Amino acid sequence: MVGLQLHLFGGFSARMDGSKKALSFSRRKGAALLAVLATPAGRNRTREELADLLWSRTGEDGARNNLRQNLYHIRGLLPDFPGLVVTAQGLQLKPEFVRTDTAEFDAAARGDSLTALERAAELYAGEFLQGLSLSEQPFEEWRAREAARLLDIALSVFERLLAEYETSGRYADAVAMANRALAIDPLHEFAHETLVRVYAAEGRHGLSKRHAKRYRELLASEHGIGVPTRSGQLQRDPKLPGDRAAVIDASPAIVAFGDAPIVAVLPIACSQRQSASISHAMTASLIAVLAAVLPMTIIDHRTILAVSAVSTTTRTAAASLGARYAIEGSLNEFNGRWRLDVSLIDVGSGRHLWTGSSWKGGSDLFGLADGFAFDIAAGILRSIELTEQIRTSAAKNGRLDAWQTFQHGLHLLSVRSVKALPEAQAAFERVIELEPFNHRAQAGLARCVLDRGISLFGETRENAYPRALEINQRAHSFGCDDWYVNWQLGMAYHRNEKFDLAKDALLEALRLLPGNLDVQTDLGNLLSFMGETDQGIRLLTQSLRWGDRPSLLIARSQLQTRNYTAAVCWADREIQSAPNNTWAYLVRGSALGHLDRPEEGWASLMECERRHSGRVNGEFAVAPSQYSDPHQQDHILKGIEKCGWHP
């Protein structure tokens, strides 16, 4: 069988099976034509489609003539090749006669084995068709979309390998893979965090600290944080001009924070083949979803178009309206499937803070619009919140407005330190003073009370858990359709042993904002506490790509299932990323006790006590139980007792 091998990563090359010599294409568009037909092989491409893609600026007759000439050139290079099919309906490469590195990469990346993932990483040798640029915008857009898709898959493969290498102690491989990911995406969060942990695990603590510092500096630089004034306050973004205020849509139904940033949704672009009505439907759906999850003013696409009529670009229009962030994207159809590509942009610096893509099939395009909007809303929300917390941290010594104070409270909660909890609680209480009916601030306050009970810091669980639930229920009465409120309500129900209500509230939060990995993490944790441990661990593992918060929850779940060695490994991972999390030392100590390693377990418990005196003894006095089966708590306490600890 005569076969053709195409290498599309890092450039373009083609050779016949058994030959070491690459074919020489004198026509760049001949190479581009072959690459298009091979992506994927087996798909029929009409002559009109190829003409639009490669000769969009030539008339119909000229495009057809160019296509014939390039086909003649390809056949001259492949005289005995049976895989190229040319009919009146179109052109096709038979997949049984063609092998591409991109197709093999796609297949390997879908595998679950370490061998398959390593093969996928090996195949990704650079950007798709790098260097094969044409002066044809449709082709360049197609190439860019395919390159972005493959890059997303590659980074996902790198992340999975990073997790595997770190867990199995292959630290040198983890460092190499992290550096490879950072060469592609210098702001790749998971790669940076893995390097910090791995360097520390190798005992290279100085290098770990220096890399963590460089990463913080890089984030601050890339996110365009303003320069503090002499008073310590961050310089504010320009206020919205008074004469433009009338054209901005009303704020979302949720309580708006004072001085919250403005977000502009630019019109979603469609190719010439799609109608303007589809673009409007997609943009309107995105605005509706974002308005439901972002406590900010949203400038809609109609306003942007109206203002851009007298401005240079839509992004300039967004800036003139005082927007801090802009969201832009494109929607395109390929062989009956639709792809949405969206970017979140910092208007002041023009930097891309986040990009996301989603594929969907079906004929009900207006129905698909809502699905697309929900797919990318969680990513946009998380990116804005993280960026705003960075901005706020630079201004934390000055007087903060309601929005900044709320973000500062969220940041303090994320620190997971008993020292930060009172400060976080004070921040949320300040927001409530400024805006008494702000249900997100009420929910944040409830979380502080709940966490103080969980950590046994300043309150007993018997007092903290019911009080947190009461505050959450009040927040829910103010904003029952807010995902954040439902999320915190689910957490409060869980700690008050109302497991079914907790599950309902967390599922409602996910319905309101699908794809939110924070909510998914707590749902996985809840299921584990309810005895559905396998399903819980699966959800927690999926949530790891947004950070290490699930590590401790997985450790506790593994302890619950008597997988003690795994529990120690995951607890160690949590301690590396959050050394002040005392519950990690408790889980680790209990697991080591069950492994008959009492000396190590005792040392872990003593470290817990050093960081929070009375924490271990407090675990023996816990009531109520957070497990649906109270014997699980007894099991954890038994492991602690095996270390020689008796309250």
Side-chain angles (χ1 to χ4, degrees):
M1 178 185 294
V2 179
L4 177 66
Q5 298 181 36
L6 295 178
H7 297 277
L8 308 179
F9 282 128
F12 174 90
S13 67
R15 59 174 49 88
M16 303 304 296
D17 281 347
S19 174
K20 295 182 179 180
K21 184 178 179 181
L23 299 173
S24 178
F25 284 79
S26 59
R27 292 172 176 261
R28 293 177 66 83
K29 288 192 176 180
L33 174 59
L34 203 58
V36 170
L37 293 175
T39 311
R43 175 180 171 183
N44 184 71
R45 300 273 189 175
T46 66
R47 294 174 182 268
E48 293 77 14
E49 181 182 4
L50 293 170
D52 288 347
L53 200 60
L54 295 169
W55 297 280
S56 59
R57 297 180 299 172
T58 307
E60 181 177 351
D61 292 339
R64 287 182 176 275
N65 182 55
N66 282 323
L67 179 58
R68 284 193 296 270
Q69 290 180 14
N70 279 275
L71 278 173
Y72 180 81
H73 175 61
I74 291 173
R75 281 172 166 160
L77 292 170
L78 308 171
D80 300 318
F81 179 61
L84 178 61
V85 179
V86 181
T87 66
Q89 287 72 38
L91 284 68
Q92 182 184 27
L93 281 176
K94 290 185 177 181
E96 61 267 28
F97 293 97
V98 180
R99 286 190 298 162
T100 66
D101 52 357
T102 52
E104 186 180 355
F105 167 82
D106 267 323
R110 289 194 295 269
D112 293 325
S113 69
L114 180 61
T115 301
L117 293 176
E118 289 179 332
R119 177 56 179 161
E122 178 187 355
L123 285 165
Y124 191 82
E127 183 179 335
F128 176 71
L129 294 180
Q130 187 174 12
L132 186 62
S133 58
L134 304 178
S135 58
E136 297 287 345
Q137 184 177 354
F139 173 81
E140 290 301 321
E141 291 176 350
W142 170 81
R143 188 187 69 81
R145 287 190 297 269
E146 187 65 10
R149 182 185 73 84
L150 294 168
L151 175 59
D152 286 346
I153 296 173
L155 289 175
S156 175
V157 168
F158 295 166
E159 289 174 8
R160 292 163 68 186
L161 285 172
L162 278 173
E164 177 63 29
Y165 290 157
E166 183 183 0
T167 302
S168 59
R170 294 174 57 179
Y171 296 139
D173 290 332
V175 170
M177 189 58 62
N179 285 324
R180 188 175 174 191
L182 293 176
I184 298 172
D185 180 6
L187 288 175
H188 195 281
E189 180 181 1
F190 190 73
H192 279 293
E193 293 177 348
T194 300
L195 274 179
V196 171
R197 291 193 303 269
V198 167
Y199 286 148
E202 291 180 315
R204 303 159 74 182
H205 298 290
L207 186 57
S208 175
K209 291 179 180 179
R210 287 195 297 273
H211 188 85
K213 181 181 178 181
R214 285 198 300 270
Y215 179 39
R216 288 194 298 270
E217 292 171 349
L218 180 63
L219 276 178
S221 172
E222 288 298 317
H223 287 310
I225 298 175
V227 180
T229 64
R230 291 183 180 180
S231 66
Q233 271 193 298
L234 189 67
Q235 292 177 351
R236 298 185 182 277
D237 288 356
K239 293 295 184 182
L240 181 67
D243 59 340
R244 299 292 180 88
V247 299
I248 296 183
D249 279 2
S251 297
I254 62 174
V255 175
F257 288 86
D259 287 337
I262 297 171
V263 181
V265 180
L266 308 185
I268 300 296
C270 286
S271 66
Q272 295 178 357
R273 291 180 176 271
Q274 281 90 51
S275 68
S277 61
I278 298 174
S279 172
H280 290 318
M282 182 66 253
T283 312
S285 291
L286 183 57
I287 290 170
V289 171
L290 291 176
V293 300
L294 292 175
M296 308 173 195
T297 299
I298 307 292
I299 306 177
D300 76 352
H301 57 303
R302 295 180 298 274
T303 300
I304 294 293
L305 287 173
V307 177
S308 65
V310 294
S311 300
T312 307
T313 64
T314 53
R315 196 178 298 177
T316 303
S320 71
L321 290 167
R324 182 178 296 173
Y325 302 101
I327 298 166
E328 64 180 12
S330 62
L331 183 67
N332 294 278
E333 186 267 339
F334 303 94
N335 200 28
R337 287 178 59 79
W338 292 82
R339 177 183 171 112
L340 175 69
D341 297 281
V342 174
S343 295
L344 174 68
I345 300 164
D346 181 277
V347 173
S349 65
R351 294 187 177 94
H352 284 63
L353 304 177
W354 179 87
T355 58
S357 301
S358 179
W359 283 89
K360 290 191 181 298
S363 57
D364 182 9
L365 298 178
F366 296 97
L368 289 175
D370 286 341
F372 274 128
F374 277 119
D375 281 354
I376 57 94
I380 291 174
L381 170 67
R382 185 174 181 86
S383 182
I384 289 178
E385 286 186 338
L386 290 175
T387 306
E388 286 298 300
Q389 288 175 32
I390 293 173
R391 291 181 190 271
T392 300
S393 67
K396 63 185 180 182
N397 293 325
R399 182 174 176 81
L400 307 181
D401 56 41
W403 168 258
Q404 291 176 316
T405 305
F406 179 76
Q407 292 300 321
H408 186 48
L410 288 181
H411 168 70
L412 291 169
L413 272 179
S414 69
V415 172
R416 289 178 288 170
S417 163
V418 292
K419 181 180 178 181
L421 271 176
E423 298 178 42
Q425 183 168 331
F428 293 125
E429 288 171 344
R430 172 59 180 159
V431 177
I432 295 169
E433 288 178 11
L434 297 171
E435 299 176 355
F437 297 100
N438 191 310
H439 47 265
R440 288 200 172 185
Q442 297 275 359
L445 173 61
R447 182 57 181 264
C448 289
V449 174
L450 192 70
D451 281 2
R452 294 184 74 168
I454 292 172
S455 63
L456 299 173
F457 179 78
E459 292 197 57
T460 64
R461 295 180 180 179
E462 294 92 331
N463 293 331
Y465 289 176
R467 192 158 72 88
L469 179 57
E470 179 184 354
I471 299 171
N472 262 308
Q473 288 171 331
R474 181 165 65 249
H476 193 259
S477 69
F478 295 155
C480 61
D481 293 328
D482 190 320
W483 71 272
Y484 183 79
V485 170
N486 280 278
W487 174 29
Q488 299 306 325
L489 182 62
M491 295 295 293
Y493 275 136
H494 175 194
R495 296 296 172 171
N496 283 274
E497 299 184 88
K498 301 179 184 295
F499 299 102
D500 291 335
L501 291 175
K503 186 175 181 179
D504 289 344
L506 292 177
L507 288 173
E508 177 66 7
L510 276 180
R511 184 190 70 79
L512 293 167
L513 185 58
N516 188 303
L517 294 186
D518 287 320
V519 180
Q520 181 177 298
T521 295
D522 287 321
L523 178 60
N525 186 44
L526 172 67
L527 292 175
S528 183
F529 276 116
M530 294 176 70
E532 302 175 36
T533 312
D534 291 341
Q535 173 72 354
I537 291 177
R538 185 181 68 82
L539 288 175
L540 291 170
T541 304
Q542 289 174 358
S543 303
L544 279 170
R545 56 183 175 166
W546 267 8
D548 263 346
R549 179 171 169 257
S551 299
L552 174 60
L553 307 181
I554 296 175
R556 197 260 316 137
S557 298
Q558 297 288 6
L559 174 60
Q560 181 180 340
T561 57
R562 278 62 171 174
N563 193 348
Y564 304 124
T565 301
V568 172
C569 290
W570 284 103
D572 284 340
R573 177 168 175 168
E574 171 67 15
I575 289 168
Q576 288 173 11
S577 63
N580 287 322
N581 194 331
T582 55
W583 178 233
Y585 297 97
L586 275 171
V587 170
R588 186 175 186 275
S590 178
L592 289 168
H594 283 293
L595 286 170
D596 295 325
R597 294 159 61 183
E599 294 84 2
E600 296 174 71
W602 177 266
S604 185
L605 297 174
M606 289 301 295
E607 182 63 20
C608 174
E609 281 294 297
R610 186 183 72 80
R611 295 175 183 273
H612 185 176
S613 178
R615 177 73 174 86
V616 180
N617 283 341
E619 201 61 31
F620 285 85
V622 166
S625 170
Q626 54 193 326
Y627 295 92
S628 58
D629 178 5
H631 295 297
Q632 291 294 346
Q633 179 73 4
D634 296 337
H635 174 70
I636 292 175
L637 297 179
K638 186 173 181 61
I640 296 174
E641 290 175 335
K642 285 186 174 183
C643 295
W645 191 285
H646 299 287

